Amino acid sequence: MRKKLPALLIVFSLLTGTFLYAQQDSDQTENTGTQEFIDNSDEIIMDSITEELPEYVEEDLLPLEETSEPEEAGEQEQVAEEDTPAEEENTVPKKELTLPMPEENAQIDRFIKQYLDPKWTQVLYNALEGAIDYRLYIRKALADAGLPPELEYLPIVESNYKTNAKSKSGALGLWQFMANSVWPFLTLNDYVDERLDPWKETDAALKKLTENYNTFGDWLIAIAAYNCGAGAMTRAIAKLSKDDTKDFWTLCQKNLIPAQTQAYVPKLLAIADLCINCEHYGIDLPLHEEEYEVLYNEKNAVFDYITVDKAYSLATLAQTMRIDTQELKRLNPSFVLGFTHPSTKSQIRLPAGMQEIAQSALENMEPIDFPIKYTVVAGDSLWSISRRYGCTVSQICELNGIKENAILKIGKILYIPSK
């Protein structure tokens, strides 16, 4: 028996060691898999918010969090005491919003938590900083009209403050007007699309929001109706019983409005709260309060204007005025073909102090005259069309905003100058 004991101990040690090694390897693989899943999900979430128009997908609202617990709680607490400094109490008081905001709301809290993540805070910072050309104008327009100041942050929800943002459903611009909802607020035709003009679209959006408020008598419902439509909101309210409270939260609770609209208002409230109370939350966001106080140049829509009633090329006008062509086009993005409407009055927006120079330039310019609207057919080319109508290829290209080597599609409309 004494001779066999060492052999048995060796076998037992080998078996125990194998089991412990296998168990350790299994635990390590599980943690690694969890980390890979978290990292991959994080990438998916960050990709989703870099698109022009983020989708309201419930599971993508927040990044996933690490949920694994430490093996020994006692050791974790000891490390926390030694390495982690005690959190300082936030002494910055929190400002109340003008819009009614519930003290506790899961969706609002979720959006706040989302944007407090450093990566999402940076996304919010970039959107606000890049929108200074329009934010200050919106802020002043809201103050002048006596509207809730939180509406300054609605374009973040709508378009991330992108003036050329286009949704899958065809909504366009900073405030995302649909083509069928522009009247009577904006002009939309072959020559002009005022949804692309952030200043005009802002004026239109504030009029529409005011109209919604006058209809429903509640700002949160008015804002929600801007998203789902006044007709849809009217039908939703009609389904409430006499005992129901007529407010946005009841409509959500009873699931009477679309899921996107149910997330729309909480997201606005969360973003507005974070921006207005950024010091309270300990994050850096651009408020541009000093710039707003001094009200300088086009940052607050201090422009000059001239009115024309024929088609004038913006590029030719800029060259004649000796100013940057792209700057003049940036100030007049609604002229989608690069020239003003040929038969109705158009206002051309100018840098401040340039009205007399522009007027003098127009006196030395000939308006564009194009009596023909030509439809491309099979076999057409820019050269053949220009030969047919006695004009140059460059003239056709300038009028239609295309390159000289462009391939024409059958059915495309081309505007042809007379000479």
Side-chain angles (χ1 to χ4, degrees), residues 239-282:
K239 295 178 182 178
L240 293 173
S241 68
K242 294 181 180 179
D243 297 330
D244 289 330
T245 303
K246 180 189 167 185
D247 63 14
F248 172 78
W249 307 110
T250 303
L251 293 168
C252 292
Q253 184 181 8
K254 292 184 172 292
N255 204 30
L256 296 176
I257 54 179
Q260 184 187 44
T261 306
Q262 293 183 36
Y264 185 81
V265 171
K267 186 172 184 179
L268 169 64
L269 292 174
I271 292 174
D273 185 34
L274 286 167
C275 293
I276 293 171
N277 290 297
C278 57
E279 292 185 10
H280 172 82
Y281 286 107

Side-chain angles (χ1 to χ4, degrees), residues 209-322:
L209 284 162
T210 302
E211 186 178 276
N212 286 349
Y213 177 73
N214 292 337
T215 299
F216 300 109
D218 181 287
W219 267 115
L220 297 189
I221 293 179
I223 294 167
Y226 186 88
N227 177 255
C228 68
M233 182 59 70
T234 300
R235 292 189 292 272
I237 292 174
K239 295 178 182 178
L240 293 173
S241 68
K242 294 181 180 179
D243 297 330
D244 289 330
T245 303
K246 180 189 167 185
D247 63 14
F248 172 78
W249 307 110
T250 303
L251 293 168
C252 292
Q253 184 181 8
K254 292 184 172 292
N255 204 30
L256 296 176
I257 54 179
Q260 184 187 44
T261 306
Q262 293 183 36
Y264 185 81
V265 171
K267 186 172 184 179
L268 169 64
L269 292 174
I271 292 174
D273 185 34
L274 286 167
C275 293
I276 293 171
N277 290 297
C278 57
E279 292 185 10
H280 172 82
Y281 286 107
I283 57 176
D284 179 29
L285 292 176
L287 300 179
H288 298 301
E289 292 178 347
E290 294 182 5
E291 292 90 338
Y292 180 72
E293 291 298 326
V294 298
L295 300 177
Y296 65 92
N297 202 12
E298 76 266 14
K299 297 290 192 279
N300 295 275
V302 181
F303 304 114
D304 275 338
Y305 296 89
I306 53 172
T307 302
V308 297
D309 56 7
K310 294 182 180 179
Y312 285 93
S313 166
L314 294 180
T316 303
L317 177 59
Q319 292 168 8
T320 307
M321 293 175 64
R322 297 184 179 180

Side-chain angles (χ1 to χ4, degrees), residues 310-313 316-317 320 361-369 398-399 418-419:
K310 294 182 180 179
Y312 285 93
S313 166
T316 303
L317 177 59
T320 307
L362 282 175
E363 292 174 359
N364 297 311
M365 291 174 56
E366 290 292 331
I368 301 167
D369 186 16
E398 181 181 355
L399 283 182
S418 61
K419 54 183 178 178

Side-chain angles (χ1 to χ4, degrees), residues 42-43 46 49 63 114 116-124:
D42 202 33
E43 290 173 5
M46 289 312 296
I49 62 172
Q114 173 183 346
L116 285 176
D117 182 285
K119 290 176 289 187
W120 286 70
T121 303
Q122 188 62 47
V123 170
L124 184 57

Side-chain angles (χ1 to χ4, degrees), residues 57-62 105-115 270:
V57 181
E58 184 69 16
E59 59 266 26
D60 288 344
L61 293 178
L62 286 170
N105 181 273
Q107 274 196 312
I108 295 175
D109 293 343
R110 202 168 179 209
F111 278 117
I112 289 175
K113 184 178 180 182
Q114 173 183 346
Y115 279 103

Side-chain angles (χ1 to χ4, degrees), residues 28 36 47 113 132 135 178 203 208 234 250 273 277 305 327 349 355 372 397-398:
Q28 186 174 4
E36 289 175 353
D47 286 343
K113 184 178 180 182
I132 184 174
R135 279 182 63 204
M178 295 286 291
D203 294 341
K208 190 172 184 179
T234 300
T250 303
D273 185 34
N277 290 297
Y305 296 89
E327 176 64 8
R349 187 181 287 114
Q355 187 179 47
I372 298 171
C397 290
E398 181 181 355

Side-chain angles (χ1 to χ4, degrees), residues 383-399:
W383 182 83
S384 65
I385 296 172
S386 68
R387 294 285 291 176
R388 184 184 307 171
Y389 292 102
C391 58
T392 66
V393 170
S394 62
Q395 286 176 320
I396 296 177
C397 290
E398 181 181 355
L399 283 182

